[in-house]
Amino acid sequence: SLAAFSANAAEMSVSGSAKVTYKNTDSSEVTGNPYGMNTSLGFTGSGDVNGYETTLFITSADQFGGMSSASLSVDLGDMGKVTFDQGVGVGGISTIDDKTPSAYEEVWDGLDAVTGDKNGLVGGGNSGVFVYANTFAGTALTAQYGKGASGAQTDDAVGGEGTSGSSWDFAVTNSDLYEGMTVGAGYGKIANSGGGQGSDDDEHYTAFVTYTMSGVSVGYQESFVGNDQQGGIDEEAMGWGVSVNLMEGLSASYGEREVEHIKPSLAHVTEDQEGFALAYTMGSATLSVQNNEVSNNGGTAGTSDETTQ
């Protein structure tokens, strides 16, 4: 059976951006041409559908031949907002996977990805999911639900199995408890590939606190990513960061992060990450520099990686 609803937006607005990058990787890697470019267009339209404000958002990044991500939201007023998300990332625990302050990117950005390693980051994807958002007494709640593997499907299409069961997660944040301070936490059960042994879902949770005063922002966060398949490796992450506004338009940041890889039958390995960033903004243009390093990358002792962008 198929149930569907659609909305005709009254008006569409368009915004865009462009970025040119230079990237230098670890000395053991072949860099080739280090220059790259990112371009994106965002289309937003809204209209009244049966008395409810309905908003469509579509973004296309580096692939103008097709949609890269989109969302359709229905605002129910005091009852909250319901969104179908196709990769925008409008809600759920992944929106707070790393809230430590940074002048540009996170301390793990651009480092070599390791197969099977979650890098201590919570969340299971934001494609093909329903999101509910509301605010209660100054606390913002966003909850997400999806079935099977996260993936963007066209209408009438069914995604491959990939994972068994369903995924759900939520995040809560509050900035009203103390001036300049924001706190948040999240929890979720994320479906995995099962495999006949062990659980068919993983446990994710995280909590953070940030504080800003006189141009200085500091933050601390702890996370846990449980791999409940047989022989799965759990990951415990702890990170902190500080960002300073040095002068008008110029900011700098430094952060560190540890990811403890809890191996069931082997010695545990601690992955160490650190990053430094500078960003200067003048008008609508920004010049940024980021350097990130990691040792024991992905929980493999003796490995390392470094990237400068």
Side-chain angles (χ1 to χ4, degrees):
S1 63
L2 172 67
F5 66 93
S6 60
N8 295 318
E11 182 179 350
M12 299 292 290
S13 61
V14 184
S15 61
S17 65
K19 178 172 67 173
V20 177
T21 59
Y22 170 86
K23 182 175 181 180
N24 183 37
T25 56
D26 188 85
S27 59
S28 63
E29 301 175 75
V30 178
T31 59
N33 187 341
Y35 299 101
M37 186 175 185
N38 175 282
T39 56
S40 65
L41 285 177
F43 302 83
T44 304
S46 61
D48 184 282
V49 179
N50 297 332
Y52 296 108
E53 183 73 10
T54 302
T55 302
L56 169 67
F57 174 74
I58 303 173
T59 179
S60 180
D62 293 330
Q63 48 175 339
F64 292 104
M67 177 185 69
S68 60
S69 57
S71 65
L72 179 65
S73 302
V74 179
D75 194 335
L76 304 175
D78 292 340
M79 292 186 294
K81 179 183 289 187
V82 177
T83 302
F84 181 71
D85 192 355
Q86 285 279 49
V88 177
V90 300
I93 193 175
S94 63
T95 60
I96 59 169
D97 62 354
D98 188 348
K99 299 295 288 184
T100 54
S102 176
Y104 184 39
E105 300 284 6
E106 302 90 345
V107 298
W108 42 265
D109 182 77
L111 297 172
D112 285 346
V114 177
T115 302
D117 176 32
K118 288 288 293 181
N119 210 2
L121 297 172
V122 294
N126 303 102
S127 292
V129 297
F130 286 92
V131 178
Y132 174 77
N134 207 343
T135 300
F136 306 93
T139 298
L141 165 69
T142 173
Q144 178 175 273
Y145 171 82
K147 187 170 178 60
S150 174
Q153 312 296 334
T154 60
D155 65 316
D156 296 350
V158 178
E161 291 185 5
T163 63
S164 61
S166 302
S167 298
W168 62 268
D169 57 73
F170 70 88
V172 291
T173 58
N174 190 300
S175 300
D176 293 341
L177 298 176
Y178 189 80
E179 184 178 358
M181 184 176 71
T182 299
V183 297
Y187 179 82
K189 287 283 193 176
I190 310 300
N192 59 45
S193 59
Q197 299 188 51
S199 173
D200 62 358
D201 55 38
D202 298 332
E203 188 177 39
H204 292 209
Y205 54 84
T206 188
F208 75 91
V209 57
T210 61
Y211 180 68
T212 300
M213 182 179 65
S214 301
V216 179
S217 296
V218 295
Y220 177 82
Q221 183 160 0
E222 291 190 1
S223 302
F224 175 82
V225 177
N227 187 335
D228 290 338
Q229 298 182 71
Q230 186 181 37
I233 299 174
D234 295 340
E235 298 173 3
E236 293 181 351
M238 180 278 292
W240 62 270
V242 55
S243 178
V244 181
N245 185 16
L246 301 175
M247 55 178 284
E248 183 177 358
L250 179 64
S251 59
S253 66
Y254 177 80
E256 294 185 2
R257 193 163 175 268
E258 290 185 354
V259 183
E260 184 79 7
H261 296 261
I262 306 171
K263 303 185 178 185
S265 56
L266 299 172
H268 299 179
V269 177
T270 300
E271 176 182 355
D272 294 300
Q273 306 166 350
E274 62 177 337
F276 172 79
L278 278 171
Y280 179 66
T281 300
M282 183 173 61
S284 59
T286 300
L287 175 65
S288 304
V289 178
Q290 178 94 26
N291 176 262
N292 290 340
E293 299 181 13
V294 61
S295 60
N296 297 335
N297 191 24
T300 301
T303 61
S304 62
D305 191 38
E306 180 180 2
T307 179
T308 301
Q309 179 171 297

